[in-house]
Amino acid sequence: MNFDILGWKFKKTDKQQEVTYNDPFIQKTDDDGAFIVTPGYYGHSSYHINVDQKFDSEIDLIRKYREISVHPEVDSAINEIVNESINGEEGVSPVSIILDNIEGLSESTKAKITDEFKYLCTLLQLNNESYDLFRKFYVDGRLYHYIVIDKNNTKNGILELRYIPSIHIKKIREDVTSIGPGGIEQTDSSQEYFLYSKGWARNDKKSAIKISTDSICYIHSGLVDEDNSLVYGWLHKAIKPANQLRMMEDALIIYRISRAPERRIFYIDVGALPKTKAEEYIKSLQNKFKNKLVYDAVNGEVKDSRSTLSMMEDFWLPRGINGKGTEVVTLPGGQTLGQIDDIEFFKKKLYTSLNVPVGRITSDQNTAIFSTGRSDSISRDEVKFNRFIVRLRKRFSKLFLQLLKTQLILKRIISPDDWQILEEQISFDYQQDTFFTELKESEILKERLTTLQMTEPYIGTFFSQTYVKKHILKQTEDTIEEMIKEIEAEGININQEDTLNQK
C-alpha cells in the first residue's frame, strides 16, 4: 500500500492485495468547504454566495467577520469565549495530550508521542500566542498553517509552521464525474489541493500557486452551507444583530442630539406686509438678534460671527394681520431620552446569537448573574455556554491531530495505518481556571466520596477495591498505580518518622 505526504511518496516493499469495493450509489461528501471545479480549470477561482448580507465572495465574508469583531459588544463576547476556551498560566502549557485510552501501545512510544506534541506546541508558540491563535480561528472560522520540512531529510519532521491569512488561500477539489446507474451523477475520481494568491484580497485576477494538501494544516468551524462549498464562521449569525444594534445606537444618538435642546419659536407680527417684505423684515430681525461678537485670541481682532439658521436653533415664523402680535414660545426638548429598552433588547439578541450568557456581560437585575455560590445557583445559560466551549475545543483540537499525524509519520514513529486507530483514542486536556469548573469538580468529588462511604461496608463482599476505584472514584489505571506508589512512599516515610521518634 502506498501513501503520499507533503508531496513525498512512500511505498511498502511487500506486495499486499488491495481490497476492491462495489460501486456505491451514494457518493462520499466532505464538509471541508472545498471549492469544486471541473478538469481543465486554471487561474483564479471565482466562487460566489448569496446570503442576506449580499456577500460576493468568501473574502468579503471573512472581512465582514473581522469588521464586526471590533464592535465593542462583539469584542467583549469574543474575549469571554476565547478566554474560556484556551488560557495558560506562566510556565504551564494551555493544552496537554492524553494517551490513557490507547491500548496496545508501549510506554516508550507514548513518551515519544508526548514529546512530539510538546515540540509542536513550541512551534505554534502556544504558551505565548494561544489567545491570538484561537481568536483568529474563532473570528475567521478557519485556520491555515504551512508546514516546512527538510526535503533532503524528512526524518527530521516538521521544522517550522507558518501562519497563512485566510483571505489568501482556498481549498480546491477537482472532480471527474460521470453518469451512473439510473442517471445519477457520480464522482469517479477527485484531486484536492490548495490555491494561494495574495491577489485574491485585492480582487486581482492573477494565477494562484498550487500547493499539496499535505503541506497545509487546515481546520475550520464545521459550519458549512448546503452545498458544502463554503465555510461559515461562528460570527455569521451575529452579523444581522450587530448591524441592527449599531443602527439603533446611531439612531438614538441622532435623536438625542436633535431633540435634547429647548428651542424658541418667534411669531413675528408682520401686519399687512406683502410676502417679500415680510421675509426681509424677519431676516433683518434675525441678523439683529443673531449678531455675535467673537474675540480672536490669535490675531487679537474682534470678529462678527453670525450663526446660520439650522434645525438646532430657533424658529422664526411670520404672523399675519389677523393673528396675534409678536410672541415668543418655547419648544420643549425630548422627554424620553433616558429610555434605552430597544438598545438593551438588540444587545441581548446579539449575545444570544454568540451563545454568550447575558449575565457575563451586563448586570441587569432581571438577568441571572453568574454566582460564586454552590453550583445549583449557576444558570442554565452557563451550562449551555460550557458545552459550547467544549465543542469549540474539539474543533480546535483538529489542529493538533493534523500536525501530530504529519510529525509522527515523518519521523517513522508510527505508520499511516496505525494513525487511523490512534486518532480516535487521542484526547487533549485544556487548562481550566474558571470557578465554575473548580466548583463542579469539587462537588463531583464530594458526591463520589459520599457514595464511597456508603459502599465501604460492602467492599470485599459485593464490591472489590478495583471496582470501587474504577467505577465509583472514576480513577484510571495510571492514577491507580500512581496512588499505590504514593501511599507506599508515604507509609515508608511515616514508619521512618515513628522510628526516629522512638529513638
Side-chain angles (χ1 to χ4, degrees):
M1 184 179 297
N2 304 334
F3 64 92
D4 300 339
I5 184 168
L6 297 171
W8 295 83
K9 295 184 177 180
F10 298 87
K11 299 181 179 180
K12 290 188 175 181
T13 55
D14 55 337
K15 295 182 179 180
Q16 299 180 0
Q17 184 178 0
E18 298 290 343
V19 181
T20 305
Y21 298 92
N22 57 336
D23 295 333
F25 66 94
I26 299 297
Q27 300 298 317
K28 179 182 177 181
T29 58
D30 297 312
D31 57 349
D32 53 3
F35 179 65
I36 301 176
V37 299
T38 56
Y41 171 84
Y42 298 98
H44 173 75
S45 63
S46 176
Y47 41 92
H48 300 275
I49 59 175
N50 186 13
V51 294
D52 295 339
Q53 300 297 322
K54 304 298 182 182
F55 298 104
D56 294 331
S57 66
E58 185 179 275
I59 297 175
D60 295 335
L61 189 63
I62 296 175
R63 283 176 171 171
K64 187 62 180 180
Y65 294 157
R66 296 179 180 181
E67 177 185 344
I68 67 172
S69 67
V70 298
H71 192 281
E73 282 76 15
V74 178
D75 180 69
S76 179
I78 293 175
N79 287 334
E80 285 289 333
I81 293 173
V82 177
N83 289 332
E84 192 77 14
S85 299
I86 188 168
N87 52 77
E89 298 178 357
E90 188 69 24
V92 181
S93 177
V95 185
S96 58
I97 190 170
I98 300 177
L99 306 175
D100 297 339
N101 298 327
I102 301 179
E103 299 179 356
L105 199 64
S106 63
E107 294 298 328
S108 60
T109 305
K110 289 183 179 180
K112 292 180 181 179
I113 295 177
T114 303
D115 294 338
E116 297 301 332
F117 173 76
K118 293 180 180 179
Y119 171 73
L120 294 174
C121 291
T122 303
L123 293 181
L124 291 171
Q125 298 181 358
L126 206 61
N127 289 340
N128 299 324
E129 305 293 337
S130 58
Y131 176 88
D132 296 332
L133 188 65
F134 199 95
R135 184 183 175 92
K136 292 176 183 177
F137 170 63
Y138 179 80
V139 173
D140 292 351
R142 64 216 80 199
L143 194 64
Y144 299 89
H145 281 89
Y146 179 67
I147 302 174
V148 180
I149 65 171
D150 185 1
K151 296 181 179 180
N152 298 325
N153 190 0
T154 58
K155 290 185 178 181
N156 290 333
I158 301 175
L159 302 179
E160 186 181 355
L161 293 173
R162 298 179 182 177
Y163 168 74
I164 304 177
S166 303
I167 60 176
H168 294 160
I169 190 169
K170 176 65 179 176
K171 187 175 183 179
I172 306 296
R173 182 179 296 110
E174 188 173 336
D175 291 341
V176 177
T177 60
S178 62
I179 305 300
I184 300 176
E185 183 178 300
Q186 62 182 12
T187 303
D188 296 335
S189 61
S190 61
Q191 179 187 8
E192 294 182 353
Y193 52 87
F194 287 91
L195 286 180
Y196 172 81
S197 175
K198 289 186 177 181
W200 290 5
R202 302 187 299 268
N203 294 326
D204 188 7
K205 305 293 184 179
K206 292 183 178 180
S207 59
I209 301 175
K210 191 174 180 180
I211 307 175
S212 171
T213 54
D214 292 326
S215 299
I216 302 295
C217 179
Y218 166 53
I219 60 173
H220 58 87
S221 64
L223 307 176
V224 294
D225 62 353
E226 61 276 4
D227 297 328
N228 293 331
S229 59
L230 179 67
V231 175
Y232 292 146
W234 288 281
L235 294 179
H236 190 79
K237 57 182 180 179
I239 294 178
K240 187 175 182 179
N243 291 336
Q244 290 174 335
L245 178 61
R246 185 178 301 174
M247 288 189 295
M248 290 301 299
E249 291 175 345
D250 293 341
L252 179 62
I253 293 175
I254 295 174
Y255 176 77
R256 285 194 171 187
I257 293 176
S258 61
R259 294 291 296 155
E262 292 185 356
R263 287 162 292 183
R264 295 168 297 179
I265 302 178
F266 292 82
Y267 292 98
I268 307 300
D269 182 14
V270 295
L273 293 176
K275 180 180 179 181
T276 304
K277 295 293 184 180
E279 291 179 353
E280 292 178 356
Y281 177 64
I282 291 177
K283 288 182 179 179
S284 64
L285 289 178
Q286 288 179 359
N287 293 331
K288 180 179 179 181
F289 289 99
K290 289 290 182 178
N291 285 345
K292 185 178 181 181
L293 298 178
V294 178
Y295 173 75
D296 191 349
V298 177
N299 300 326
E301 299 177 354
V302 177
K303 297 189 298 185
D304 183 8
S305 176
R306 288 188 176 135
S307 57
T308 58
L309 187 65
S310 67
M311 63 180 296
M312 296 296 300
E313 298 178 352
D314 301 332
F315 295 94
W316 298 73
L317 304 176
R319 174 170 286 177
I321 190 172
N322 296 327
K324 299 180 181 179
T326 301
E327 182 182 0
V328 179
V329 297
T330 302
L331 182 65
Q335 303 299 318
T336 59
L337 300 180
Q339 296 182 2
I340 56 173
D341 295 340
D342 48 356
I343 300 294
E344 293 296 331
F345 169 77
F346 284 104
K347 186 180 296 185
K348 292 179 181 179
K349 187 176 180 181
L350 175 62
Y351 293 147
T352 303
S353 66
L354 294 173
N355 300 321
V356 177
V358 182
R360 283 177 171 255
I361 311 296
T362 63
S363 57
D364 188 2
Q365 295 179 356
N366 298 325
T367 305
I369 305 300
F370 180 67
S371 175
T372 57
R374 291 178 56 83
S375 61
D376 54 8
S377 63
I378 297 175
S379 65
R380 182 174 179 83
D381 290 339
E382 283 292 336
V383 178
K384 293 170 60 178
F385 180 66
N386 184 64
R387 293 175 180 174
F388 172 68
I389 295 301
V390 172
R391 294 196 299 270
L392 283 180
R393 288 171 175 171
K394 287 184 178 180
R395 298 300 306 184
F396 189 72
S397 296
K398 292 183 178 295
L399 170 67
F400 306 123
L401 289 174
Q402 291 187 27
L403 295 177
L404 196 61
K405 172 187 176 182
T406 304
Q407 180 74 353
L408 297 179
I409 294 177
L410 286 176
K411 303 194 75 171
R412 309 294 196 272
I413 297 177
I414 62 172
S415 65
D417 295 335
D418 296 334
W419 176 256
Q420 295 180 1
I421 301 175
L422 297 178
E423 185 177 7
E424 295 298 327
Q425 300 176 359
I426 296 177
S427 58
F428 300 93
D429 182 25
Y430 287 78
Q431 185 180 349
Q432 306 282 351
D433 66 346
T434 60
F435 183 81
F436 170 73
T437 304
E438 295 177 0
L439 185 60
K440 178 181 177 182
E441 293 177 354
S442 177
E443 292 201 357
I444 290 176
L445 179 59
K446 186 184 298 183
E447 292 296 330
R448 289 176 181 175
L449 293 178
T450 302
T451 306
L452 176 62
Q453 186 177 5
M454 298 171 60
T455 313
E456 188 175 2
Y458 305 101
I459 297 177
T461 56
F462 298 100
F463 302 100
S464 64
Q465 291 186 359
T466 304
Y467 178 87
V468 171
K469 293 178 180 179
K470 288 185 176 181
H471 298 279
I472 295 180
L473 297 179
K474 303 298 182 180
Q475 294 180 349
T476 61
E477 294 182 358
D478 294 339
T479 304
I480 294 174
E481 294 179 359
E482 183 180 356
M483 291 296 104
I484 293 175
K485 294 179 180 179
E486 291 180 358
I487 292 173
E488 292 177 352
E490 291 175 355
I492 294 175
N493 293 333
I494 292 174
N495 293 332
Q496 292 177 351
E497 291 179 359
D498 292 341
T499 303
L500 292 175
N501 292 332
Q502 292 177 1
K503 292 181 178 179

